[in-house]
Amino acid sequence: MSNLNKTPSSNRLHISIFGKRNMGKSTLINAITGQNLAIVSDFAGTTTDPIYKAMEILPIGPCVLIDTAGIDDVGALGDLRIKKTMEVVRKTDIALITVDYNGFLEFDYNIIDILNKNNTPFIVVINKADIEKPNSDFLTELENLNYPYINLSAEQKDRMEDMKGLIIQHSPMEFESPSILGDLIEDGDHIVLVIPIDTGMPKGRIILPQVQTMRDILDNSGIIHTCKDTELQATLDGLKHPPKLVITDSQAFERVSAMVPEGVLLTSFSILFARYKGDLNRMVDGAKTLMSLKSGDKFLVSEACTHHVQKDDIGRYKIPKWIDEKIDTGIDFDIVAGRDYPENLKDYKLVIHCGGCTLNRKEMLGRIDISYREGVPILNYGLCIAALYGILDRALKPFPEVNEIWKKK
Ligand SMILES: Nc1nc2c(ncn2[C@@H]2O[C@H](COP(=O)(O)OP(=O)(O)O)[C@@H](O)[C@H]2O)c(=O)[nH]1
Ligand code: SF4
Ligand SMILES: [Mg+2]
C-alpha cells in the first residue's frame, strides 16, 4: 500500500463498495459523488448485478465506483455469488466494506477473506453513525486486526473528506493500466482521429497526446482511422457505419464538427487530456468564467515548458486574439512559462493553461489545486478554444456528468 498523494498516476481507480444489503452502499455512493446515481432503496435486492459508474471524485481523480448490490444473499456465499464477487474483486483497486454499528456479519468475513487472498486493500466503513455508536467489541476487533476504518453517516454525508483521504492513503500505487478513453469505447469500435498538419506540428512526428490516444484505443481493442481534416469527409464516406467517436485537434473543431453527423460523438484531444491528466469538472468551471470575462479583467496564460515559440503560437498569440474577437477587446493577460507555477494569482480572473504534455497528473492536479485555493478558475487551451467557438456543448457530450455541469452555466 502506498500514498496516491506521493505517487503520481493517471489511472482510473476502481473502488468497490461491498456490504450486506441495507447497510447503505447506495447511500454511500450517492454521498461520495454528491449525485443521485445509485438507486437507494428500502427494499432488498433492487438490482442483482454490480453497477459500474465512472466519474471524477475530488481529490481522488478519475474513478470507477462499483456498487455490488445483489451479491449479498443470505448466509454463506453461493457459487454464483462467489463468481460475481470475484469478477468485481479482480477489478478492484480498493474496497469499502459497509457495515453498521453492530459490526461484521458472516458475509463481511467472507468478502474480507476473498479480498485478502487477492491482495486487495479495503477500508471498513461503519455507517449509520447518526443512529448509534459502533459497538465497542467491534472497535476493539478492528483495532486488533489493524483494519483501517471510519465511522460516518452516509445519509448525512458527514466525514466524506476524511473517507476520501483514507481511500487515497490506502490505494495501491499501481492500479490498472492507464486509460484515456477506455470507458468510452468497446471492442471493435471504430474511432476517427483528425490530426491537421499545420506549421505548429513537429516535422516527421505526431505529438505525444495523439500517440498516447492511439495506444489507448489499441489497448481497448478499438479500430483507428487517422486523417487530416481535409480528408475527413472521404474517411467518413469510406466507413460502412458511422464511427463510435471522432477525436480532433481542437483547432480544427469547427470544420470537423460541420462534417461529423450530429448523432456521432465528437470531442477533442485536449478535452480527453483535461480529463486524463487533470480535472475536467473544474476546467468546465473555468470555461464558464472565460465566457463571463469583461473589459478590465486580466487572465494568465500558463505554459508548463519553455518550448520554442512560433509566430502563431497558440497560447501567446491565437488565444488572446480570439478572446479579443469573441469576448471583449479590453481584457489583458500575462504569460508564464516553465516548471514553476505562480503561487499568487490574485491579479487574475482566470488561468488558461497549456495541455501540460510534459507534466504528470499529480503536477497538473497540483496546479489546479493552487488555482482553486487562490479562487481563480483554470482551464486548458483545448477547453478554452472549444468554449470560444461555442462547441463545448458538442465536445462534452461524450461525458454526461461533466456536460451536466456545463449545461448549468
Ligand atoms: N439513519 C441512516 N440511515 C441510512 C444511512 N445510510 C443508509 N441508510 C438507510 O438505509 C437503507 C438502505 O440504504 P441503501 O443505501 O439502499 O443500502 P444498500 O442496500 O446497501 O445499497 C435506506 O433506507 C437508507 O436511507 C445512514 O447513514 N443513516
Ligand atoms: S502543451 Fe505545455 S508542456 Fe506541452 S509543449 Fe506545449 S507548453 Fe510545453
Ligand atoms: Mg443498494
Side-chain angles (χ1 to χ4, degrees), residues 111-132:
I111 296 288
I112 288 171
D113 197 29
I114 294 171
L115 291 169
N116 280 337
K117 283 192 180 124
N118 285 275
N119 288 322
T120 308
F122 60 86
I123 295 161
V124 180
V125 177
I126 314 170
N127 191 28
K128 312 200 183 185
D130 54 307
I131 302 180
E132 209 173 308

Side-chain angles (χ1 to χ4, degrees), residues 68-290:
T68 65
I71 61 168
D72 64 342
D73 220 334
V74 188
L77 291 176
D79 282 349
L80 180 63
R81 288 188 300 281
I82 287 176
K83 191 168 160 273
K84 279 191 180 176
T85 307
M86 283 313 303
E87 267 172 33
V88 173
V89 170
R90 271 196 291 274
K91 294 177 188 149
T92 302
D93 298 304
I94 185 160
L96 306 182
I97 314 246
T98 318
V99 295
D100 69 10
Y101 36 84
N102 293 311
F104 289 137
L105 301 167
E106 192 195 347
F107 173 79
D108 304 306
Y109 288 116
N110 282 327
I111 296 288
I112 288 171
D113 197 29
I114 294 171
L115 291 169
N116 280 337
K117 283 192 180 124
N118 285 275
N119 288 322
T120 308
F122 60 86
I123 295 161
V124 180
V125 177
I126 314 170
N127 191 28
K128 312 200 183 185
D130 54 307
I131 302 180
E132 209 173 308
K133 275 202 186 116
N135 160 335
S136 62
D137 289 345
F138 181 41
L139 291 182
T140 311
E141 180 187 5
L142 288 172
E143 298 286 358
N144 289 341
L145 290 165
N146 209 9
Y147 290 162
Y149 70 90
I150 183 163
N151 185 208
L152 53 73
S153 164
E155 191 124 273
Q156 301 190 346
K157 296 187 171 54
D158 70 345
R159 303 201 63 195
M160 284 300 130
E161 293 312 311
D162 293 343
M163 195 187 63
K164 290 179 197 172
L166 270 184
I167 291 173
I168 291 173
Q169 193 187 336
H170 292 279
S171 287
M173 200 163 69
E174 295 296 335
F175 36 87
E176 278 182 30
S177 58
S179 188
I180 296 162
L181 39 60
D183 57 327
L184 301 178
I185 65 171
E186 283 161 25
D187 292 9
D189 278 347
H190 291 256
I191 318 296
V192 175
L193 304 184
V194 186
I195 304 181
I197 306 292
D198 61 19
T199 52
M201 284 285 277
K203 275 209 163 50
R205 291 197 290 119
I206 288 175
I207 62 172
L208 185 62
Q210 295 162 348
V211 174
Q212 283 178 282
T213 303
M214 287 178 177
R215 173 60 201 262
D216 198 66
I217 296 171
L218 296 177
D219 284 341
N220 286 287
S221 305
I223 299 160
I224 310 169
H225 306 264
T226 308
C227 61
K228 293 182 290 183
D229 49 332
T230 40
E231 280 70 50
L232 175 61
Q233 195 59 60
T235 305
L236 293 171
D237 291 346
L239 285 171
K240 222 159 144 196
H241 303 288
K244 174 70 171 282
L245 177 68
V246 177
I247 305 166
T248 179
D249 181 274
S250 317
Q251 295 191 62
F253 202 107
E254 227 179 359
R255 266 167 290 150
V256 169
S257 181
M259 279 183 261
V260 176
E262 261 312 308
V264 174
L265 292 174
L266 168 65
T267 195
S268 69
F269 291 104
S270 340
I271 287 171
L272 285 177
F273 273 74
R275 191 173 79 122
Y276 176 65
K277 205 170 231 178
D279 183 330
L280 189 53
N281 288 357
R282 281 184 165 180
M283 287 198 176
V284 165
D285 266 347
K288 292 187 198 175
T289 304
L290 168 73

Side-chain angles (χ1 to χ4, degrees), residues 31 42 192 271 311 362 397:
D42 282 327
V192 175
I271 287 171
K311 73 172 187 328
K362 188 194 165 210
K397 270 205 191 114

